[in-house]
Amino acid sequence: MAQKILVIEDEPTLARLLSYNLSQEGYNTKVVDHGGDGLQEALQQSYDLIILDIMLPGLNGFEVLAKLRQKGNSTPVIILTARNAEDEVVQGLKHGADDYITKPFGVAELLARVSAVLRRTQSDDAIADKLKSNEKVIQAGELFIYPEKYEVVLNGESIPLRPKEFEVLLYLVQRPGVVVTRDDLMNIVWGFDYIGGQRTVDVHVSSLRKKLEMNQQSVQIDSIRGVGYKLVANIVKK
């Protein structure tokens, strides 16, 4: 069965370009030209991928993405950003985007990124299924990770994490005190074929660190300048 892609783009020429090339590649593509309508479509129908422009009528792309994630929709999202708009990329990643494409872009790049994100999603699903069949709890100090449920509990409180934040934390917690390079995190969490840069890793680690370190000191993620990150879990004496 053809994979389904939702394109939320209000510029007619670009929307037609996206729809045509994705359809030629064998994807089942639907185009919506309004932010609010795109959000409703994404929530009501099941899609394998969403391509989301930032500048939209009604709700902008950031708002659409934020509302999707708030409602528990984990469909992978590729955002379309303007050239030299690093702030858009960072904001999109913080809201839960899986990748980005900078306009203008070539058809080859578009199809490569779409294919890469879909492959990662299928791989993530396979990993999740494997974890579910081997239920376990991973502990580091007062941090408890439940891989089969994608749940994290720290000092008795549940910590809500986005999927990629969870996978970064899981990789770090399995190597407590060991410095993990940005390249390692990029390859393990996003895959060897990920086209984005290390900024993606930094944004996710920054967001993860804030969620973990709020009002507690038992678990923290240290930055090793020019190298990467390590997780430090302090044993709390009772």
Side-chain angles (χ1 to χ4, degrees), residues 72-115:
N73 187 303
S74 59
T75 303
V77 174
I78 297 177
I79 57 173
L80 303 179
T81 71
R83 175 176 288 180
N84 299 323
E86 183 181 1
D87 57 330
E88 289 187 353
V89 173
V90 172
Q91 191 172 349
L93 293 172
K94 285 183 176 179
H95 278 88
D98 295 83
D99 202 353
Y100 63 91
I101 301 177
T102 302
K103 296 185 288 188
F105 53 83
V107 173
E109 179 188 4
L110 165 70
L111 296 177
R113 287 184 180 273
V114 166
S115 177

Side-chain angles (χ1 to χ4, degrees), residues 91-209:
Q91 191 172 349
L93 293 172
K94 285 183 176 179
H95 278 88
D98 295 83
D99 202 353
Y100 63 91
I101 301 177
T102 302
K103 296 185 288 188
F105 53 83
V107 173
E109 179 188 4
L110 165 70
L111 296 177
R113 287 184 180 273
V114 166
S115 177
V117 170
L118 289 171
R119 279 199 305 274
R120 289 200 304 274
T121 303
Q122 292 170 343
S123 176
D124 291 346
D125 290 343
I127 292 172
D129 289 341
K130 183 177 180 181
L131 289 172
K132 288 177 182 178
S133 65
N134 298 280
E135 292 189 2
K136 59 181 179 179
V137 179
I138 299 174
Q139 180 180 2
E142 297 302 308
L143 176 69
F144 294 83
I145 298 179
Y146 301 84
E148 73 279 4
K149 300 177 182 177
Y150 265 55
E151 290 182 0
V152 175
V153 175
L154 179 58
N155 293 332
E157 295 186 7
S158 178
I159 308 296
L161 300 180
R162 301 199 303 268
K164 290 303 181 188
E165 292 172 345
F166 180 90
E167 291 168 27
V168 168
L169 177 61
L170 183 60
Y171 190 70
L172 290 174
V173 81
Q174 291 171 328
R175 297 156 183 77
V178 176
V179 179
V180 177
T181 69
R182 290 178 174 83
D183 283 339
D184 283 343
L185 283 172
M186 178 73 72
N187 293 334
I188 295 298
V189 176
W190 281 268
F192 287 95
D193 56 0
Y194 181 63
I195 306 174
Q198 291 184 347
R199 182 62 173 166
T200 302
V201 175
D202 295 335
V203 169
H204 280 77
V205 171
S206 176
S207 176
L208 174 60
R209 176 187 284 135

